[in-house]
Amino acid sequence: MMDGMASEETRTKTFATVSGSAAGEPRRPATRAWTTRLLVLGIVLSAFNLRPAITSLGALLEEVRDGLGMSGSVAGLLTSVPPLCFAVFGVTAPRLARRFGPGAVVCAGMVAITAGLLIRPYAGGTAGFLAASALALMGIAVSNVLMPVIVKRWFPDRVGSMTGLYSMALALGTAAAAAVTVPMTEALGGSWRSGLTVWAALAAAAVLPWIPFVRQRGAAPAEQPARRQEHARVEAPALRITRSRTAWALAVFFGLQATAAYITMGWMAQIFRDAGVPAGTAGLLLAVTMVMGVPLAFVIPRVAARLPHQGPIVLALGGCGLAGYAGLYLAPAAGAWAWALLLGVANCSFPLALTMVGMRARTGAGVAQLSAFAQSTGYLISIPGPLLVGVLYQHSGGWGLPIALMAALMVPQMVVGVLAGRNRTVEDEAAR
């Protein structure tokens, strides 16, 4: 797949050497191809590591709760930590990227993920576990925001296909962590600490492709100094992003789909286990939900990029979500595989939201601001959801009320998604 993408580099104006050539020296096609492949590899590996820290914990949540002595409410707080960290740290990503370069920030993000995953199982107590998780999630947060920026900057003519590629890698990493964490933990002796720690190795591997890009700042590698200055002049003024209705609609859509996703990642395996499904099978069901995003996360952005209005896709995904929640309420064990499939389709609202971020702004600076605003605001909106599910579960003694909440939130998600999918840009709206 990377060879196919590299073959398109002659149509892309923003590739060149990592370190730059001497003045007047012609650019080397072989070096450009190598840079392109390395960048694609870095994007794929990074995307693969953006969710295992969360879904591996979801698969072992009961064991972690027992090991650390957590109540249901505290466990709900734990499942709310990811969106909180994404909101707090994600908003800093554009500023860090302007100062150090997006490649350097993503590289540092992968280092933070590695360190957090290594530390948290052995930090001692709930507070230490939460702090180490926050370190890993900080790295995920800045990488979340900068992925659309990197795609827009280095692959401006292939936003749909590249968004689909890294969304597919993200979904694959999410599903892999959900599927293999439980059996891998058993193979490592049954310790949940070992089962969580092993994911640090993949995060460490994702650091390597970004090292050559650490010294790059600002514009894409192929741009000559004069063009970099021109882009800086054009993109310097900050948008009044809060004046854009599309930006707000996209932020709310992002927040509601994130609420559904983190409730699913944090609690769905437990829903099936409480319905009598064995732990290993519950983990596989969660993996099925996540793995549905692998093919669809590649297809949906490509289709969405070709449509002037993404509202029909929003409605189709929302309908699958409503059907899945209804199944979980009425027959969680009997139709478990069907509900897992339907909710997996519904969770593909995430790559759709990322695609719309790239489509609702014209410039790289606009995408950076919109990505930071939509993701940070969206993740703030999503914080109460997983916590509220934990509280409702503990106090009601069942899953009826939490599932009703999930279904109710799907309706406004569909409404704001249709508004965010309209064919317009935040630059036009913010300038009014």
Side-chain angles (χ1 to χ4, degrees):
M1 183 174 290
M2 287 192 298
D3 289 338
M5 290 185 172
S7 67
E8 298 181 21
E9 65 182 349
T10 56
R11 298 194 300 274
T12 305
K13 299 179 180 179
T14 53
F15 294 112
T17 61
V18 173
S19 56
S21 58
E25 182 180 339
R27 302 289 183 181
R28 301 178 183 177
T31 305
R32 289 200 301 269
W34 176 84
T35 304
T36 302
R37 293 188 179 97
L38 188 63
L39 184 61
V40 172
L41 179 62
I43 290 172
V44 170
L45 285 178
S46 297
F48 192 90
N49 282 279
L50 293 181
R51 293 299 180 269
I54 302 166
T55 51
S56 61
L57 176 60
L60 295 174
L61 184 58
E62 185 171 314
E63 288 76 11
V64 174
R65 287 175 58 188
D66 293 341
L68 298 178
M70 291 183 187
S71 65
S73 297
V74 174
L77 174 63
L78 182 61
T79 58
S80 294
V81 169
L84 174 62
C85 290
F86 293 167
V88 172
F89 298 118
V91 73
T92 66
R95 183 178 302 174
L96 293 172
R98 286 194 297 269
R99 181 172 182 179
F100 302 106
V105 177
V106 173
C107 185
M110 295 300 112
V111 172
I113 295 171
T114 304
L117 292 180
L118 282 173
I119 295 170
R120 75 173 179 178
Y122 307 100
T126 301
F129 191 93
L130 289 171
S133 295
L135 176 61
L137 294 167
M138 176 177 64
I140 296 173
V142 294
S143 302
N144 271 338
V145 171
L146 292 181
M147 282 293 148
V149 177
I150 289 171
V151 167
K152 184 76 169 182
R153 181 167 293 176
W154 273 276
F155 301 91
D157 58 343
R158 287 174 282 161
V159 171
S161 60
M162 286 302 301
T163 301
L165 180 65
Y166 81 74
S167 298
M168 184 174 65
L170 189 152
L172 185 60
T174 306
V180 307
T181 296
V182 171
M184 187 166 54
T185 300
E186 295 172 352
L188 293 172
S191 170
W192 60 265
R193 289 183 169 86
S194 299
L196 294 181
T197 305
V198 72
W199 294 102
L202 280 173
V207 174
L208 303 178
W210 292 104
I211 293 175
F213 297 94
V214 165
R215 294 183 178 275
Q216 291 184 0
R217 300 186 182 186
E223 295 177 341
Q224 300 290 345
R227 292 191 63 188
R228 294 182 185 182
Q229 294 175 5
E230 179 183 349
H231 277 279
R233 288 194 298 270
V234 171
E235 297 186 356
L239 294 172
R240 296 180 180 179
I241 199 74
T242 55
R243 297 178 63 178
S244 168
R245 294 181 180 179
T246 298
W248 278 107
L250 189 53
V252 176
F253 177 69
F254 201 100
L256 292 175
Q257 67 81 28
T259 299
Y262 288 108
I263 290 173
T264 299
M265 285 187 280
W267 290 108
M268 197 177 82
Q270 192 64 50
I271 293 174
F272 286 127
R273 290 177 73 167
D274 287 352
V277 177
T281 304
L284 286 176
L285 287 165
L286 178 59
V288 166
T289 299
M290 300 299 111
V291 83
M292 286 301 296
V294 176
L296 292 178
F298 188 69
V299 172
I300 287 176
R302 294 170 67 89
V303 174
R306 291 176 170 86
L307 296 177
H309 195 309
Q310 290 74 47
I313 303 178
V314 171
L315 296 176
L317 298 179
C320 290
L322 290 174
Y325 291 136
L328 277 184
Y329 182 84
L330 297 172
W337 295 100
W339 319 141
L341 287 170
L342 286 168
L343 292 174
V345 174
N347 275 348
C348 288
S349 296
F350 175 71
L352 177 61
L354 293 179
T355 306
M356 288 195 288
V357 166
M359 296 178 67
R360 297 286 90 89
R362 287 195 301 267
T363 65
V367 172
Q369 283 188 256
L370 179 57
S371 181
F373 175 76
Q375 294 200 44
S376 296
T377 305
Y379 284 127
L380 278 174
I381 292 170
S382 71
I383 289 171
L387 177 60
L388 184 56
V389 165
V391 173
L392 289 175
Y393 171 57
Q394 180 171 339
H395 290 282
S396 69
W399 287 105
L401 285 177
I403 292 172
L405 172 66
M406 298 178 216
L409 291 176
M410 186 60 68
V411 177
Q413 177 181 322
M414 296 164 70
V415 173
V416 294
V418 170
L419 295 176
R422 294 174 298 175
N423 187 17
R424 55 195 65 194
T425 63
V426 294
E427 286 90 350
D428 291 338
E429 293 182 340
R432 293 173 184 172

